Amino acid sequence: MKKLLTLLSVVLGLSIALNAQNTFSLNIDSTDARLSDVLDSFTAQTGVTFSFERSLGDVVLPKVHVSLSNAPLERLLSEVLAGSGIEWKVSGMTVALSGAKVNSPAAQKQWVGTVVDSEGNPLPGVAVFVAGAISSGSITNDQGIFNIKASPEDDIQFSCLGYESRSIKASSSQLKRVVLKDEAEVLQTAVVTALGIKRDEKSIGYSAQKVEGDMFVNSATTGNWINGMAGQVAGLNIDRSSSPDGTMRVTVRGESSADLENNTALFVVDGVPMYNSATQSDTGEGSIYAIDYGNGLADIDPNNIESVTVLKGAAATALYGSQAANGAIIITTKNAESQDAVFRVSIKSSFAADKVLASPDLQYTYGQGTAGLPYYYYLVSGEGDDVAGINPRPDYVSTSGMESWGPKLDGTPYYQYYNVAEGIGGHVNQYGDFVRDATPFVSYGDWFQNYFQTGLNFSNSIVMSGKIGKDNSVRVSFTNNTVNGIVPNSPSMTNFLAVRTTSRLAKWLKMETSVNYRNTRKDNIPVSSGYGSTAIMYSLWCYAPNIDMKWPSFYWKDKEAVQQDASLSGGKNNAYFLAYEGINNQKRDRVYGNVVFNADLAKGLTLMARGGLDIITDFRTQRQATSTQAKPQGWYREQTIGSKQYSGDFLLKYNTRFAGDFEFTGNIGGSIIWRSYSNHSQTAGALNIPGVYSLVNTSYEPKTANSSYVRQTNSLYGMLSLSWKNAIFLDVTGRNDWSSTLPAGHRSFFYPSVSGSISLNDLFEFGRTNGLVNLMKIRASWAQVGNDTAPYRVANYLQGTGFPGTVALPATRVNSNLRPEIVSSWEVGLELRMFKNRFTLDAAYYDAVTKDLISQMPVSYANGVNYMYVNAGSIRNRGVELSATGTLVKTRDLQWKVGLNYTMNRNTVVSLGEGIDSWIIASYSTHAYMIAYEGGSLTSMYGKGYVRAPEGSTAITAEGKMVDVSGLPVLDNQNLYQTGTELQYLGDCAPDWKGGFNTTLKWKDLSLYIGFDGQVGGHVYSYTNWVLNYRGKGTATLEGREGGLVPVGVRLLPDGNYVVNTTAIDPANIATFYHNKYEQTNGEANFVSTQFLKLREVRLEYSLPKKLLAKTKVLSGASFSVYGNNIWCWSDFPGFDPEGVTMRGSAVIPGFEILQMPSTAQFGGSISLTF
Amino acid sequence: MKKIMKYNAILALTLLSLSCSKFDEMSKNPYALETAPAESYVHPIMFKTQYNLISVFRGTTVFLSQYAVMTNSEVSSRVIGNYNIPEGTSDDIWTGLYLQYGNAMAMYEQAVKEKNDKIKAVAMILRSFLILQLTDTYGDIPFKEAGLLSLREGDGKYTTRYDSQKEIYKSVVCMLESANLLLSQDVEEVPSFNAICDKTYGGNYEQWRRFGNSLYARVLMRIGMKVIEEDGGILELGDEQWVSVNVTNKLSELYSCFLSGAGDYPMMRSREDRPMIPFSDQNETEHTPFYSTTSGNWNVVAVCDVLTRRMLSTVQKVDQNGITYYESVLHTQGGHREDPRYDCWWRKVHGMPNQMIGSDVTKFLATHLSSAGNSVIGRMTYGRNAGSGITGKVYDLQNASYYPLMQYSELLFIFAEAGVRGWISSISSFGAYLPLFRQAVTESILEWNPYVTAESDEVVEYVNWVVNGELYSGSTFNSDNALEGVLTQKWISSFFIGIESWCDYRRTGYPLLRTDGPAAGNDHILPTRMRYPSDEPYRNTVYYKEAVDGWLGGTNNIQTDVWWAATQESRDIRLLGRQ
C-alpha cells in the first residue's frame, strides 16, 4: 500500500510540480492595444520582465481581458498572448518572446469560400472558425458561403452535424471550395479498445461494438443510462431488478460461470475500471429479498457519455485481465477538446411521467373471502376478539384474508370495512354512536394501479465548456435529477457534477483530468419486490377488487399511531403503512476521477501514466414501525458503507515503420488497483418509544455488524502489433497478474492472446473505386483471460455468533488451494461496408470455454458446511452475433436508416468436476431450481410437475371405449391435481435468440427514432403466476366458481387401471382445487414463457435550423424532443414484465421471478439549448 | 531526456510495488478469528439446535403427532396432518442440524488439539444428540464421513457416504460411554468451564455428565425393543474399548444410579439438571423462531380433539354438518378434570377433529362460534400480555423464556416404561412403577405450569384422574393397559420437545392415533420417516442413490420404517389406531 501511495504521489506530485510555480495576480483590460503597452502593464503588476525584438512590440493585440489572481505565469501568458501566435519561453522571472509569425491586424485578411457536400450541394449553417482564436467565427449562409477574418497561417475549421469536420490552412487554395464528407461515408474508424488504446477499427481482430452517446439522451429520466443500451448491441444481455432505479445485471455472451454473481461485465470509465457491485441491506428477515439500492452503474451521468464500446470476447479484454473475463463496457465521457467554439453553454431540461405499463389479467368478479361462504366480513381470523362488541351479527365469521375466493361482486350489501374516524362503512346515530352499515359489495377496479401513483421525473442539466488557447479545454457539467417514484412516498434526488479538462502542458506532454461527483439522496426506497413481509408487492397481492384503495391508506388503527390496520391485507403488512412508515433512506456520495499524462518521449515513443481514485460513502437508515409484522416492537438500523479504490497504471508505446510496408507497435504497461471496503451497521431491535427512530431509543443494546476487506491486484502486460500494408494486422498480448485474494502459491498468473485481421479490399480490388465495397474485413482471435476471486476465500476462519465469547464455522468452506480461473475463447468475424457505407454488416461467431471456475459449490449439508469454494467445471458458450445497418433513403432533406441486431448463444456444461454430474446453480426454496447437468445448459430450470399417467396408459370411457391417457394428470381421491416428488426438466431460462430493430427517419430538422427489441424463447419460474392463480386473483381462476368444473385428468383405480375423470369439483371446494393446481412447489404449474417484443423507445426530435440559429446571434443549437420509453410489450408472460427479475441478497438472479414490481411506461419531453 | 528519467522512476516504482509482501497480511479477514477454544462452540450449538427443534415441533411434529390441526384459509389437502407431506417440509432438520454437527466436530477436533478430555466429552455428547435427531428423522444418514469438510482442507472429498442407523446407534453408545468415562476423572480439579460459553449448565461438567447419561437412557429405550427382537437384547458394538451392551441390564444399572445418586452413571436427579435453553425477546440474537409470527399466523394452529380428550373432560357430539367432534364440558358441568398444562399451551378449550377435507374445515370453523361471533376452538397461547383462555393465567408459548431440550420427566417416563416392560426387575410390578408414573406426570406438569406445585389441588386431582379416569382403551390405568397409559402421558409431556413424541409413536404405536380420516393420504400410514432433502440428490448424488436404492427400496418414501421402529409389536399396535 505504501508503495502504491508513493507511486500515486509521484504521479499527482508531478502535476502539481508543473503547475505550482510562483503565482501572480494580473488585471488587464484593453482593446487593440500594442503588445509593448500590454507588457509594460504586465511587468508593473507582476515584476516579470520580457525580452523581445523591437518589431514585436508593435503587434496589436485585438482584445486582452485578463483578471486573475494567484495564477501561474504560464497561465497569464497564455491568457494575454492567446491567438497572437507569439511563443514564449520562461526563464526565472524573465520571459523571452519570439514572434516568428507576426500577427498584426494588418496581416489578417478576410477569407471567403463556399462549403459544399460531396455531391456539390452548398451546405448552409456550417460553423467556420479559426482554430484557437478568441473570435467567435461565422456560419455559412444559404448558398454555403462563409466570410472569415484570419491570418494566412491560421487553421480554419469547418464543422457541421452529420458531416466530417475539416481543418484547412487559410492560405490554402482548397479554402475556395471546401468539401465536407457525409459522416456516413467516413469510416467510423477509431475504436477505444482495452486500456483506452484507440485503434483503427480495421486493425482489430475481435468484436467491438460502439454505441454513440446520443442513444442515452433519454436515459436521464429512466434512472440508469444502461437503459439506452437495450436492443443496441448484439451479445449484450441486461437483467433488470424490477425495483425502480434498481440493480442492473449486464452480461455479455452468456453465462460463463456457475457463480452467477461472477458473470457480469466489467465497466471502465475513461480508462479506469469501475467498482460496481451492490451492497445488500437485508430487512432483518433473511436474504430472499432485499432493499435494492441499485449498483454503481447508475453513477454515470448519461449527458456526459460520448460513446460506449462493448468489448465482447476474451481477445478484446485480455489486456484488462481479472474481472473482464465476461466482457468489458468501455465508457468514454465527453470533453471539450474537439468542440467547435471557444465557449459553449448548453442547457437541457427533461420531464417524464411514469405509468404502470400493464397489469396482469386480474379478475373483478369475486371479492376477498372463502369459497362456499355466502357472506363477507373483513376481519382477519384471530383478530375477531378485539372488536367482538362491534360485530353487528353473531353469525359472521372471519372470512377475509389474502385470497379472493369470496362472494360475487354483485352489489349485495355486506358489512365491510369501516372506519369510525373517516366515517366509512357506517353512520353516527342519534345518540352519537357509530353504527355499521351494510354497503354494496362491488369492484373498485384495478387495485394495483390504484395503489401506484404517476411517477414524475425531472432532469435539468447545464454544461459549460471552453477552450483556453490552443492547448487547454475544460468541460463542466451539472445535472440534477428529481424523481417521484410510482410507489407512494418514494422521492429521490441525484446530482451529478463532472469536470473534464485537457491541457497541453508542454509540446511533448498532455494532461487530461476527469472528476465526477454523484450525490444521491433517496428519502425512501421501498422494499418493492420479493416474497417477504416488508415487500410492497407481498402486501399488495393480498388486496382484492372489493377494496377501495383509499381504505388501506388510513393505515393506523389507533390515534396513537402504534398499531397498523392490516385487516384489509389479511393480516399482512398494510401496503401504505410500509410506504409511509417503513422508510429506508440513503445518502450516498461518490467521487471518482483520474489524471492522465500522455508524453511524446521520442519519435514513435509515447508514455501514458494515469492515477485514478474512486471513493464512495453511503449512509443508510432503515425503519420498521411498531406493529410491523416481522418486527412487532419496531426496528431501526443505521448502516455506513464505504469503499475506496486507488489505481495507477502506465503504458509505454513504441511505434515504427520498417521495410516500407510494415508497421510495428509495442506496448508495455503495468497497473495497480487497490480497493478497500467496509460496512458497519447498528441495529436497534426493539423501539422503546414507538415512532422515534434513533439508536438511543432502544429497549436493549443495539446490535452491531461489521465487515470489511482490502484487496490489491498488480499487473504487468504487453502487446505487440504488426501490420503490413495497413491491410494485414496481427496482435499478440500477454498479461501477468498478482492478486491478493488468491493463496500465496497461486497469486501470480499469466495469460496470452493472439488476434488478427485482414482487410481484403485493401489487398484486392473489390470495386472500392466505385464505392461498391468500402470495407471487407475478416478477423479471427484466440485468447485466454485469467480471473481471481473475492477476498477471504482461501484461509479458514471462525465467525462471531451474537453470543459473547462464542464462535461458529462459516457455512461455506474456504479452500487454500484455489487457483485463478481461466477463460479461453476464439472467435471469427466478418465486417462489410458497401455502397458508400450505406450498408454495413458485422457478423461474429465465437466459442468460449471457461475452465477451473472458482465457484461456491453446493455440497451435502452432511459435510457440516453447505458450500465449498472450488475450482471446478467447464462451461462452453457458443454463439452468433449479427448487426447490420442500412441507409435506405438518402436525399438532401430525407434520410431513412434502419439498424438490426441478432444474438444467439448456446450454453453447454462440459463438465462439473470429478465425480459430480449435477450442480444446483440457483434455487427458490424447494419450488424451482436452476440445475446444471453435464451436457445440458447452465440455465436449465427444474421443478416438480403434475403427477401424470405414464406412457402407454389407457382408460375405458363411460361409452366403453379404450382411450390413450398417457401424460394426462392423475387426480387424487378428492379430484385434485397432484404434484409429483421428482424434479423434472422444465425448460431453459435463457432465450433462443434476442434481437433488436431500430429505425431513424430524418426530414430536414425533424427526426424520428423508433426502437424495438425482444427475445424468442426463455422461461422463468414465476411467483406472480402462483399468486394470481393460487389466491384467486387472476381471470384464470374464474372457471368453476359457480357450478363447479370437471378437472381434466384421470384417476387411478385400486386395480391399477385408469379411468377418465367425469366428476365435478364442488364450487365450495374450488379454492382447494386451484390451490392444488397451482401449488407453489409445482414448478411446472408456475413456469412461464418470457418471450416478448417490446416497443422500447420512440423519440421525435426537432432541431432549430442553423439559419434560424444564426439570426439569433447567441444560440448555436436548439432542439426539442418528445419521447416514450418502454411503451408497449407483447408477451404471454402473466406478470407485469417478462424482463423483470428479482433482487435477492446483493445480486439479481435470473430464472426466478419473485413477485416483481410492475414496470413502467415512460413518456416525456426535453428541451436542449446550446449557446 | 531528464523527463524520460522522471518517468523511468515511476516505472521502477511500479515494478517495485509488484512485490507481494503485503499480500499475506491483506488476505486475512479482520472480522474473523482463526482459532478459538473448544468450549466457545457450546452455546451457539445448543441454541441453534433448540431453535431448530422447537420450530420443527410447531411446524411439523405438532400435526404429525396429532396435537393440533391446521385451520387457515389457505388450507389444502396437502397438509402435514393429512400425511401429504409437502416436499421440503422436513429439510430444516437436515440443513440446520448438520451445520451444527459440523460445529460440534470442529469443537471436538479443537478439544483433541487442546488435549482437554472434559470438553472433548461435552463435544461427544453434543455430537451424539445431534446425530440422533438426524437419524431418528431420516433413518440411514451420513455419519462416519459427516462434518469432516468443516475442519479439513478441501482434499476433493465432498461427498459423504451414508451409514446404517444401527451402525450410528452403536457409535453413539460408544461415544456416550466414553464421554461418561472422560467426565468421571478428576472432577474436583476441573469443576467447570467458562460459563459465558454455556448458558445451559454454566460450564458445569457434572451436569453435562448427567445429561449425557440421561440421553443414554433415551438411546437404550429407543433401541430396546428392536435389539431384543433382533439380537436377544445384546448390541455388539465392535469397539476395542466398548465391546457390547446388554440393553436391559444397562437400563437397570442406569436406574439404580438414578435411585441411589451414586454409581458409575450419574443421572438427572431433578428438573434442575435438565438442559434448558434460554430465549429472550429482549435480544435479537435470542428471539424464538416465532418472535415475529403474527397473531393470524400463530392462530392457524388449533388444538386437536385427540389431545383435548386426554387433557380435559369431553363429550362426543355430532354437529349440523354431520361431523363428529368432542366438546369440552369444562364450563358446563361440575366435577370437571383439567390438565394444569392445558392453560399454558392453549387458549379456549374446544378441540378440532383431524384429517377433515378442506371444505369441512371451513364449515367446522364457521359452525363453532361463540355467541360473540368468535371461534371457541383452542389456539396456542401467545403474546406477552395476553391472558390465556380458561383461568386467565399468563403463559406465552410463542415467546417463552426457555424451552427444555430434554425433560426430567422424560427420564422418569423411560424408567416407568422399562418397569412396565419388565426390563428393570425392581420396578416391574404395577405397585412399583405406579408411583414412578405418577411422579413423571407431576414433573411434566411442573415443567410447564409455573403457578402450581406438586401439592396443589389441581395437580393432585388431575394426576388422580390420569390414573383413575377411563382414558386408556376406555378403562382406568392398570397393568394391562399400563404401556398405553405411560406412553400416552409421555406423548402429552413431549409437547414442544422436537420430534420425541413422533419417535415414541413409531417405536411403540402409542398413543393410538387415527390415520384413516377422510383426507388422510400416504396410504393411511403415519409417516415413518422424513424424506431426504430435495437438493441432496444434487449435492451428494452417488451416495444418495446408494441409500435410496438400498434400504428405501428405490424411492425416497415416507413409509419405510427406520431400523429401531421396524418391530412386529410396533407395527401391530400402529395398525390398531387405524380404526
Side-chain angles (χ1 to χ4, degrees), chain A residues 34-56:
Chain A
R34 288 176 68 242
L35 175 68
S36 54
D37 294 341
V38 173
L39 294 180
D40 284 349
S41 176
F42 200 122
T43 308
Q45 290 185 41
T46 62
V48 174
T49 55
F50 295 87
S51 71
F52 49 88
E53 280 178 45
R54 180 178 294 272
S55 65
L56 207 60

Side-chain angles (χ1 to χ4, degrees), chain B residues 37-43 45-46 49 100-114 116-132 143 151 171-172 174-176 178-180 182-183 193 198 205 208-209 211-212 215:
Chain B
E39 63 203 49
S40 46
Y41 290 85
V42 175
H43 188 62
I45 297 176
M46 293 291 272
T49 301
Q100 295 318 312
Y101 188 77
N103 279 294
M105 281 300 286
M107 173 185 170
Y108 178 81
E109 297 262 321
Q110 180 65 27
V112 171
K113 258 185 231 163
E114 290 170 9
N116 181 342
D117 280 349
K118 296 211 158 29
I119 205 74
K120 187 170 122 186
V122 172
M124 288 164 106
I125 294 168
L126 287 172
R127 283 176 57 196
S128 301
F129 185 86
L130 288 161
I131 208 72
L132 287 170
F143 166 65
L151 28 124
S171 302
V172 165
C174 296
M175 276 201 283
L176 291 173
S178 303
N180 180 51
L182 291 172
L183 286 169
F193 60 95
D198 178 14
Y205 284 116
W208 273 102
R209 192 177 176 202
F211 169 45
L215 186 61

Side-chain angles (χ1 to χ4, degrees), chain A residues 70-136:
Chain A
N70 295 325
L73 184 53
E74 288 282 346
R75 170 89 196 277
L76 299 181
L77 291 169
S78 65
E79 288 271 355
V80 170
L81 299 172
S84 67
I86 298 171
E87 291 179 3
W88 64 83
K89 198 175 174 191
V90 181
S91 157
M93 288 291 278
T94 305
V95 178
L97 301 182
S98 58
K101 294 155 247 166
V102 175
N103 269 355
S104 67
Q108 292 208 333
K109 272 179 67 182
Q110 290 288 341
W111 306 91
V112 181
T114 311
V115 182
V116 294
D117 66 15
S118 45
E119 263 129 48
N121 301 314
L123 285 173
V126 177
V128 184
F129 54 97
V130 180
I134 292 169
S135 62
S136 60

Side-chain angles (χ1 to χ4, degrees), chain A residues 1079-1160:
Chain A
E1079 211 169 7
Q1080 60 195 148
T1081 55
N1082 189 329
E1084 181 189 350
N1086 297 300
F1087 196 65
V1088 298
S1089 163
T1090 53
Q1091 186 162 310
F1092 73 92
L1093 175 66
K1094 262 191 186 181
L1095 175 52
R1096 181 72 63 182
E1097 186 178 352
V1098 174
R1099 183 171 73 227
L1100 185 65
E1101 197 173 321
Y1102 176 70
S1103 307
L1104 237 53
K1106 284 261 164 36
K1107 260 193 296 183
L1108 230 62
L1109 289 170
K1111 283 180 192 156
T1112 65
K1113 306 272 189 204
V1114 282
L1115 267 182
S1116 68
S1119 66
F1120 308 90
S1121 75
V1122 288
Y1123 57 86
N1125 288 322
N1126 209 23
I1127 299 165
W1128 197 259
C1129 178
W1130 293 267
S1131 174
D1132 291 334
F1133 184 74
F1136 296 92
D1137 190 333
E1139 289 190 290
V1141 290
T1142 305
M1143 180 83 176
R1144 286 206 268 153
S1146 56
V1148 166
I1149 303 291
F1152 305 87
E1153 180 271 313
I1154 312 299
L1155 300 193
Q1156 63 170 312
M1157 274 282 285
S1159 62
T1160 56

Side-chain angles (χ1 to χ4, degrees), chain A residues 750-820:
Chain A
F750 175 83
Y751 41 94
S753 86
V754 185
S755 64
S757 68
I758 300 172
S759 174
L760 292 173
N761 58 322
D762 283 313
L763 294 177
F764 310 102
E765 175 54 44
F766 273 111
R768 182 159 47 136
T769 42
N770 56 25
L772 191 66
V773 176
N774 308 81
L775 175 72
M776 184 189 276
K777 170 185 140 183
I778 53 171
R779 55 172 197 256
S781 64
W782 173 88
Q784 288 193 329
V785 177
N787 206 354
D788 62 1
T789 185
Y792 313 136
R793 289 181 169 182
V794 297
N796 208 15
Y797 61 88
L798 300 166
Q799 308 173 319
T801 63
F803 295 105
T806 64
V807 294
L809 295 168
T812 302
R813 178 73 174 101
V814 297
N815 187 337
S816 61
N817 294 320
L818 281 186
R819 299 182 305 278

Side-chain angles (χ1 to χ4, degrees), chain A residues 482-686:
Chain A
T482 304
V483 179
N484 239 329
I486 59 165
V487 175
N489 191 35
S490 58
S492 67
M493 192 173 82
T494 307
N495 293 308
F496 288 105
L497 178 68
V499 181
R500 272 279 252 148
T501 70
T502 63
S503 3
R504 187 164 287 284
L505 302 174
K507 260 188 172 167
W508 57 275
L509 183 64
K510 204 176 147 193
M511 177 177 81
E512 289 181 37
T513 61
S514 162
V515 178
N516 298 277
Y517 171 65
R518 184 187 189 229
N519 152 277
T520 315
R521 201 193 159 92
K522 295 184 177 175
D523 292 339
N524 183 19
I525 309 170
V527 184
S528 42
S529 54
Y531 195 73
S533 71
T534 50
I536 298 279
M537 292 308 285
Y538 179 91
S539 284
L540 218 41
W541 275 112
C542 299
Y543 294 99
N546 60 289
I547 295 168
D548 180 343
M549 288 306 280
K550 199 175 76 197
W551 300 343
S553 74
F554 311 113
Y555 55 80
W556 286 120
K557 207 178 199 173
D558 49 6
K559 278 196 212 106
E560 296 74 31
V562 173
Q563 196 63 39
Q564 66 162 314
D565 185 349
S567 51
L568 288 166
S569 47
K572 306 296 180 193
N573 285 323
N574 178 313
Y576 288 92
F577 170 77
L578 287 177
Y580 287 95
E581 301 296 331
I583 290 174
N584 307 304
N585 68 31
Q586 182 187 33
K587 290 174 191 161
R588 183 173 180 277
D589 296 278
R590 181 172 195 171
V591 180
Y592 63 95
N594 61 62
V595 184
V596 192
F597 294 93
N598 282 295
D600 296 315
L601 301 180
K603 190 175 181 318
L605 185 68
T606 58
L607 177 74
M608 184 279 296
R610 175 164 45 205
L613 59 79
D614 185 345
I615 297 173
I616 306 174
T617 60
D618 190 344
F619 179 73
R620 304 169 179 181
T621 66
Q622 290 170 252
R623 298 175 178 186
Q624 294 200 34
T626 314
S627 82
T628 303
Q629 195 186 330
K631 308 288 171 197
Q633 302 176 71
W635 187 83
Y636 177 65
R637 174 185 283 168
E638 289 184 0
Q639 189 176 17
T640 308
I641 298 160
S643 82
K644 284 181 197 154
Q645 177 179 290
Y646 301 119
S647 60
D649 65 326
F650 77 92
L651 192 69
L652 189 67
K653 179 180 172 185
Y654 179 69
N655 177 284
T656 186
R657 291 187 157 275
F658 62 96
D661 290 332
F662 286 95
E663 187 176 351
F664 168 83
T665 308
N667 287 281
I668 295 176
S671 77
I672 294 179
I673 296 178
W674 179 93
R675 185 185 299 153
S676 74
Y677 169 90
S678 66
N679 182 347
H680 301 282
S681 74
Q682 279 192 292
T683 308

Side-chain angles (χ1 to χ4, degrees), chain A residues 402-403 508 607 629-630 633 650 672 700 714 747 798 807 809 813 816 859-860 862 866 933 977-978, chain B residues 3 7 11 17-18 24 31 33 40 74 78 87 103 146-147 149 152-153 282 291-292 294 536 538-539:
Chain A
M402 47 197 164
E403 305 202 0
W508 57 275
L607 177 74
Q629 195 186 330
Q633 302 176 71
F650 77 92
I672 294 179
Y700 45 83
N714 299 342
R747 260 177 208 154
L798 300 166
V807 294
L809 295 168
R813 178 73 174 101
S816 61
V859 295
S860 174
N866 57 357
Y933 277 100
Y977 289 116
Q978 308 181 69
Chain B
K3 290 149 204 158
Y7 282 102
L11 188 68
S17 56
L18 288 172
D24 288 331
Y31 286 103
L33 299 175
S40 46
E74 288 190 46
R78 309 230 191 291
E87 190 90 0
N103 279 294
L149 199 56
R152 306 238 166 99
E153 195 42 72
Q282 291 301 301
Y291 172 77
S292 58
T294 55
E536 177 71 0
Y538 304 94
R539 292 172 180 260

